[in-house]
Amino acid sequence: MFLFKRVHVLLGSLLLSFSFLQAGEDVVYKDGDTELQGYVAVPDKVEGKVPLVVIVHQWMGLTDYEKSRAEQLAKLGYVAFAVDIYGKGVRPANRAEAGKQAGSYKEDRALYRQRLNAGLTVALKQPNVDASRVVAIGYCFGGTGVIELARSGANIAGVVSFHGGLDSPVPADGGNIKCKVLACHGADDPFVKPEDLAAFEKEMRDHQVDWQLIKYGGAVHSFTQKMAGDDPSKGAAYNAQADERSWTHMLDFFKVAMGK
């Protein structure tokens, strides 16, 4: 009996381990001469064309975090493609390197949009993708990115920004937005200045964008990311309630934006 229980526990552990194995694959592509490495995850069974979700990474680059989100979405029936903004093999080792990488794209929004659209183009070429049902989601640096993708005039159904930078460097660019916009924001995020938030809202209103801004009480920056720790006093911390609620709001937004 003891042996049976031990075998059962071991098998359970193995099954648990296998459940976390990533079923997606890396995708190497280029933006001009720059080689990039994205990641795609697809549903187990695909019948006909299915919606596409493009994922834009946070400031540490494309990591297991974005890959796990891609796997979550694939299990829900989406083709999920995580883009690479920095370049193949360019993965910051610390906050200083991450700040330098992310800052260079925030200062050069034209290059950022170029990289975003390069990823979108490759994502649309994945098998079984329904090009009429495409949304992009992004975290922190990537949350800024999806709004820049929308401002570039990308022909997609919607974008979802999770704790992204919500500034408005060129308000006129809001006139290029063709899609719906959802910004999921920590109400106590110290890295988003009130004046930037006001400018973002004004840009959306001035250009009659179909937009939503949802604020989560008690949440600071990086509220969807467990690797941010659990100390809100640092300005960035995981918040399980805000994470769960924002994910639900995202899925509801998907239904409205692309009927899925």
Side-chain angles (χ1 to χ4, degrees):
M1 184 67 176
F2 174 79
L3 179 61
F4 173 78
K5 287 184 177 179
R6 181 175 176 77
V7 170
H8 181 75
V9 170
L10 286 172
L11 285 173
S13 298
L14 286 171
L15 288 172
L16 183 62
S17 297
F18 280 123
S19 71
F20 285 98
L21 288 177
Q22 293 165 345
E25 61 182 18
D26 294 331
V27 178
V28 176
Y29 63 103
K30 283 190 172 184
D31 173 26
D33 294 329
T34 302
E35 193 170 54
L36 307 159
Q37 183 171 301
Y39 181 85
V40 65
V42 300
D44 289 336
K45 295 181 180 179
V46 178
E47 296 181 2
K49 298 292 185 178
V50 297
L52 167 68
V53 181
V54 176
I55 304 170
V56 187
H57 57 75
Q58 34 68 55
W59 73 339
M60 296 301 290
L62 177 51
T63 66
D64 286 344
Y65 175 77
E66 291 78 22
K67 293 178 181 180
S68 69
R69 290 299 192 183
E71 296 298 337
Q72 280 183 280
L73 289 162
K75 289 177 181 178
L76 294 176
Y78 302 95
V79 171
F81 189 93
V83 303
D84 176 18
I85 301 300
Y86 296 161
K88 184 179 179 182
V90 181
R91 301 292 181 262
N94 51 54
R95 293 172 59 88
E97 290 183 12
K100 184 177 180 180
Q101 280 290 333
S104 67
Y105 289 94
K106 287 184 178 181
E107 291 173 5
D108 188 347
R109 300 287 175 123
L111 177 58
Y112 198 1
R113 294 179 186 182
Q114 180 179 310
R115 288 287 166 84
L116 290 160
N117 277 284
L120 173 61
T121 298
V122 174
L124 287 167
K125 293 179 180 178
Q126 301 306 304
N128 304 108
V129 164
D130 183 349
S132 69
R133 292 189 291 167
V134 181
V135 295
I137 69 173
Y139 299 89
C140 297
F141 168 74
T144 303
V146 294
I147 295 173
E148 287 302 317
L149 180 63
R151 288 171 175 149
S152 76
N155 188 25
I156 56 179
V159 298
V160 183
S161 170
F162 293 94
H163 40 83
L166 299 178
D167 57 346
S168 178
V170 184
D173 287 351
N176 299 325
I177 297 176
K178 303 174 183 176
C179 64
K180 302 180 189 301
V181 174
L182 168 61
C184 298
H185 176 66
D188 298 325
D189 188 336
F191 301 119
V192 178
K193 299 176 182 178
E195 55 267 33
D196 286 341
L197 195 59
F200 167 77
E201 293 186 32
K202 186 176 187 302
E203 178 185 344
M204 297 297 106
R205 291 191 184 96
D206 287 351
H207 297 287
Q208 299 181 333
V209 176
D210 185 343
W211 68 286
Q212 301 174 64
L213 171 64
I214 301 178
K215 298 180 182 180
Y216 303 97
V220 292
H221 199 62
S222 301
F223 61 78
T224 68
Q225 300 174 315
K226 291 183 179 180
M227 62 273 206
D230 58 3
D231 184 359
S233 70
K234 294 181 178 180
Y238 180 67
N239 183 304
Q241 181 172 265
D243 182 19
E244 181 180 350
R245 287 178 175 177
S246 61
W247 186 260
T248 299
H249 289 145
M250 176 197 74
L251 295 178
D252 289 342
F253 177 81
F254 285 1
K255 294 175 183 178
V256 173
M258 57 182 180
K260 170 63 176 180

